[in-house]
Amino acid sequence: MTTAPRLPRLALDPDETRELDQLTQKVEEAAAMLDVARAALSEAAGRIAAGYERGGPAAVAAQVGWSRQHVSTLAAAHRRQGDDRRDAA
């Protein structure tokens, strides 16, 4: 088996390093913001769907592009949280 000699690691220009670091930070910040937005959307979808006797999960699912089963699960979780809060009071 032949192994090629390892090439020395290239040192990036300081401006390039700074640019890559800044863009990496922006991507990480955007990912964190996306996580927060997804959590808020899930909470709102569950809350809104739980507010309807019938058809709420289907209507919410159609609006946000999720499955009815997923929204039904969010609605059930929202109802359980409400029950837990009432029990704690």
Side-chain angles (χ1 to χ4, degrees):
M1 180 155 115
T2 359
T3 55
R6 295 190 115 217
L7 296 175
R9 191 165 132 187
L10 179 74
L12 296 174
D13 178 90
D15 290 337
E16 294 168 335
T17 301
R18 190 172 21 265
E19 178 183 8
L20 292 173
D21 288 346
Q22 289 171 348
L23 291 171
T24 299
Q25 183 178 0
K26 285 182 181 183
V27 167
E28 290 169 356
E29 289 169 359
M33 289 173 46
L34 181 58
D35 288 342
V36 170
R38 281 185 176 147
L41 179 58
S42 292
E43 190 281 325
R47 177 178 38 81
I48 291 167
Y52 291 91
E53 288 286 321
R54 295 177 59 99
V60 170
Q63 181 65 35
V64 297
W66 293 343
S67 70
R68 278 185 296 171
Q69 182 177 0
H70 180 68
V71 177
S72 292
T73 300
L74 294 172
H78 180 78
R79 287 186 195 106
R80 274 193 307 275
Q81 287 176 349
D83 291 344
D84 292 346
R85 287 186 206 123
R86 281 189 290 278
D87 291 344

